[in-house]
């Protein structure tokens, strides 16, 4: 399996062949690697840049070389702003450099850091002036050259449609967003057709299907922003300004929100993960005591409210201390994991709950199950554990047994509390231990 580092190096070499400069930074803004094209674009770094160098130093060399004398006092501020841009840049921008124009993109790798890419490009403004030159590309009667120029300067996509939703005009950013190279490719198509065309050569995803239905829904009302999925996991937020002009022209602004969207998704995943850490036991993956207490309380109230039965099993591995002392703590952990798997496999009903109550003690909450059925289930678990083979080369064959205490809420007074159910099951468990272990006792 190639390492992350070796993959980065190969990609950097491949980008050299495309004449794209690359420089990778870690999450603290320190330089990790760069390619030959980077040094050609920015010769001031050749022989100076080194792995681990702060991005600030990179910027300082850039500005020292480039700033006129009278702007040098502002250099530190420029560097700070550059660092801010480096951390927050979401969409590509362009700047003049050594007589040509460079387009620069910066992408976050989440926790790892950032990659910056530069490529030489046709001067945007020249392209733009061609586009709004009425002799080359006639503008629709409803748009003035100055307005077109202003809209071209926006990083967001702008689409203008007539009263029948047919395209009148779109700016350069809009064309790029939807993979179009020329405004003539748009024709007088409606936006839903442009959207479908952007997906034409792509494998349709759930995001695309949702996008189509969002667009249908949009035909009925307008105003609120909405989000559409684009191919290759990109996302766009659209705001419409419909029919405010006497002639029925509507404007749509299209903002590429891919970076924020992905960050939001990462945060969602992270918070789900954190939530699951907060309620799960790290060793066995079962719910932890905290979650058990919450669910027990809720089920207890539900059982009282709807006069349902509610049973509880408390299960404890017999002579577990001896097992730990004989075969070691790690083996004890393995036993707990195996036992947890048996319990999770047995308790399949979605309203039931299996938790690690603490140490080698486990709890199973069974809403809607009466004492006799709970005891029967406990007996099946006891038998399954008794016949389970455990062990490894060092320990040889090991067998374990468990004791189980069973209690049912209907045996408690109406004004009792949920903790009394636990006490009752615990007392039954103690009774099972006292009578010689490897057995089920009911309260
Ligand atoms: N390996 C391992 N051991 C644990 C863990 N949590 C608690 N223990 C051990 O479990 C043992 C429980 O011992 P005791 O409460 O004396 O009970 P026992 O030896 O199982 O005896 P009886 O319950 O009376 O059958 C203690 O030695 C704890 O250190 C754990 O996560 N992993």
């Amino acid at each position: 399996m190639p390492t992350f580092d070796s993959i980065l190096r190969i990609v950097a070499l491949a980008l050299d062949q495309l004449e794209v400069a690359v420089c990778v930074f870690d999450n603290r803004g320190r330089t990790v690697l760069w390619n030959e094209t980077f040094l050609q674009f920015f010769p001031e770094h050749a022989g100076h840049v080194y792995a681990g160098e702060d991005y600030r130093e990179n910027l300082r060399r850039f500005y020292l070389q480039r700033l006129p004398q009278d702007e040098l006092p502002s250099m530190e501020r420029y560097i700070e702003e550059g660092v801010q841009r480096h951390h927050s840049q979401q969409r590509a921008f362009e700047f003049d450099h050594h007589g040509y124009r460079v387009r620069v993109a910066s992408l976050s790798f989440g926790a790892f850091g950032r990659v910056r890419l530069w490529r030489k490009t046709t001067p945007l403004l020249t392209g733009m002036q061609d586009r709004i030159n009425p002799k080359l590309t006639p503008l629709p009667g409803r748009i003035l050259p100055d307005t077109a120029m202003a809209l071209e300067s926006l990083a967001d996509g702008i689409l203008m449609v007539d009263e029948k939703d047919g395209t009148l005009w779109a700016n350069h950013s809009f064309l790029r967003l939807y993979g179009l190279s020329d405004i003539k490719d748009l024709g007088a198509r409606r936006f839903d057709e442009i959207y479908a065309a952007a997906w034409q050569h792509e494998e349709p995803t759930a995001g695309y299907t949702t996008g189509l239905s969002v667009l249908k829904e949009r035909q009925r009302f307008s105003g609120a922003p909405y989000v559409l999925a684009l191919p290759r996991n990109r996302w766009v937020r659209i705001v419409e300004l419909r029919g405010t002009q006497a002639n029925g022209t509507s404007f749509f602004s299209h903002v590429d929100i891919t970076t924020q969207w992905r960050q939001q998704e990462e945060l969602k995943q992270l918070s789900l993960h954190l939530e699951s850490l907060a309620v799960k036991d790290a060793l066995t993956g079962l719910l932890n005591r905290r979650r058990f207490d919450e669910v027990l309380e809720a089920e207890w109230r539900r059982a009282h409210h709807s006069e349902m039965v509610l049973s509880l099993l408390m299960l404890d591995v017999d002579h577990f201390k001896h097992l730990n002392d004989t075969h070691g703590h790690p083996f004890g952990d393995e036993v707990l994991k195996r036992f947890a798997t048996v319990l999770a496999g047995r308790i399949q009903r979605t309203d039931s709950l299996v938790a690690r109550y603490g140490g080698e003690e486990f709890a199973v909450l069974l809403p809607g199950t009466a004492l006799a059925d709970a005891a029967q289930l406990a007996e099946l678990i006891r038998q399954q554990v008794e016949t389970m083979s455990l062990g490894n080369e060092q320990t040889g064959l090991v067998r374990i047994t468990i004791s189980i205490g069973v209690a049912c809420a209907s045996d408690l007074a109406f004004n009792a509390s949920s903790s009394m159910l636990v006490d009752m099951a615990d007392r039954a468990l103690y009774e099972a231990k006292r009578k010689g272990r490897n057995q089920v006792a009911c309260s």
Side-chain angles (χ1 to χ4, degrees), residues 281 283-284 316-325 328-336 356 358-361 401 403 429 433-434 437:
D281 166 54
L283 179 71
T284 60
D316 188 285
V317 183
D318 295 329
H319 300 302
F320 192 62
K321 184 174 181 317
H322 178 70
L323 195 96
N324 264 335
D325 292 346
H329 213 265
F331 182 73
D333 284 354
E334 281 311 307
V335 170
L336 294 180
R356 183 169 179 206
E360 84 298 12
E361 196 173 7
T401 60
S403 299
L429 172 62
K433 292 267 181 190
R434 200 184 60 80
R437 300 178 172 79

Side-chain angles (χ1 to χ4, degrees), residues 133-159:
N133 177 348
K135 280 189 204 125
L136 295 174
T137 319
L139 287 170
R142 302 177 198 190
I143 184 164
L144 300 170
D146 276 359
T147 315
M149 190 63 158
L151 295 178
E152 283 295 11
S153 71
L154 297 180
D156 297 339
I158 300 290
L159 175 71

